[in-house]
Amino acid sequence: MTSAADIRSTLRHGRSSIGAWLTLPSPELAECLAGCGFDWLAVDMEHGAIGIETAGRVFIAAERHGVAPFARLPSADPYLARRLLDQGCQGLIVPVVESAEDFRAFASHCLYPPAGKRGVGLSRGNQFGDSFDTMLNHFQPLLVPQIETRAGVAAAAAIAALPMVDALFLGPYDLSASLGQAGNFATPAFADAMAEVRHACAEAGKAAGIHQVAPVLDGLEARKEEGFRLIAFGTDAQAIRHVFAPLKA
């Protein structure tokens, strides 16, 4: 199975890692996406309709196809993060991060002692004890703060410099809203913000990430050319609508 360590190595070697994005509470749909060649599958718990029980079943579906299960949290909730990691989550995308110190405090709950203060117990994530020592001594989830406000952009360099951060993930819609023109990605302010986040990543040797929401390959290639390497491509719902939208014409 693709692991957090595999994706971390991919990013550190300057290669791209592409993920699917699940918003609908369906392990069967997750399995369909997991069989399409993605490296990881993110359960969207911020804007999607997926709870923790369904997330666990989605993780199983992803693993069946060798795809790393991720989650986008609804907030920097350390105790939900702990539960998802215990369910086998390999990576966490954390929305609206605006402070390096706040993210450091959150991340401490995701790392086992002595690096952090994650609770230690038997769970699905360590195969109910069968891989307990391996997980305790070697596992570190991929940790990805989202930069999606003016304050986040201002703090991007400090956040990217944190040793436990693997990438910064730019949230284009929320960032454009924070800049005063929601959904307008053509403003100079938005272009400057994107450039600042990418520069922060480059200076820290971390990957820049983004969500290419429209499920079109030209858009995916454009994000790669812009320098983004951790890319969520489309969503389950958007992919379905993209295929059937011509029926409305």
Side-chain angles (χ1 to χ4, degrees):
M1 187 192 84
T2 301
S3 67
D6 295 328
I7 295 172
R8 184 174 292 117
S9 176
T10 293
L11 297 175
R12 286 180 176 174
H13 284 87
R15 300 191 298 269
S16 297
S17 182
I18 312 301
W21 201 263
L22 195 73
T23 63
L24 303 175
S26 170
E28 293 81 7
L29 185 52
E31 193 157 15
C32 288
L33 286 171
C36 290
F38 292 102
D39 300 319
W40 47 275
L41 193 158
V43 171
D44 186 356
M45 301 183 77
E46 182 183 17
H47 294 300
I50 301 171
I52 189 165
E53 291 84 2
T54 301
R57 293 194 290 273
V58 167
F59 295 167
I60 294 170
E63 291 168 4
R64 188 174 294 134
H65 290 272
V67 176
F70 282 17
R72 198 260 291 272
L73 295 171
S75 65
D77 180 342
Y79 298 102
L80 177 57
R82 288 183 178 198
R83 294 184 69 193
L84 290 165
L85 292 170
D86 281 348
Q87 287 292 314
C89 188
Q90 291 279 319
L92 295 168
I93 301 171
V94 186
V96 200
V97 177
E98 299 180 325
S99 159
E101 285 310 306
D102 288 349
F103 193 79
R104 187 194 299 274
F106 163 82
S108 70
H109 289 266
C110 303
L111 306 174
Y112 287 121
K117 54 185 177 184
R118 178 179 169 187
V120 179
L122 304 184
S123 65
R124 185 181 170 273
N126 56 43
Q127 298 177 314
F128 304 101
D130 286 353
S131 60
F132 180 83
D133 289 340
T134 299
M135 294 295 289
L136 183 65
N137 295 315
H138 302 291
F139 175 69
Q140 180 177 335
L142 208 81
L143 295 179
V144 183
Q146 276 196 269
I147 305 300
E148 44 192 348
T149 63
R150 289 179 185 269
V153 172
I159 296 167
L162 292 172
M164 74 289 294
V165 167
D166 293 289
L168 298 185
F169 198 87
L170 195 144
Y173 284 96
D174 281 328
L175 179 57
S176 64
S178 178
L179 296 172
Q181 295 195 47
N184 186 351
F185 308 135
T187 66
F190 185 81
D192 289 346
M194 285 184 68
E196 189 167 346
V197 172
R198 288 198 302 265
H199 179 73
C201 290
E203 287 294 298
K206 306 294 174 67
I210 197 168
H211 194 166
Q212 169 56 37
V213 177
V216 292
L217 288 174
D218 286 351
L220 177 61
E221 292 305 316
R223 300 293 81 78
K224 290 180 182 179
E225 290 175 7
E226 290 168 354
F228 293 102
R229 289 187 279 127
L230 185 72
I231 307 172
F233 184 41
T235 74
D236 48 3
Q238 287 299 318
I240 293 167
R241 289 174 58 84
H242 178 74
V243 171
F244 292 112
L247 294 175
K248 296 169 61 176

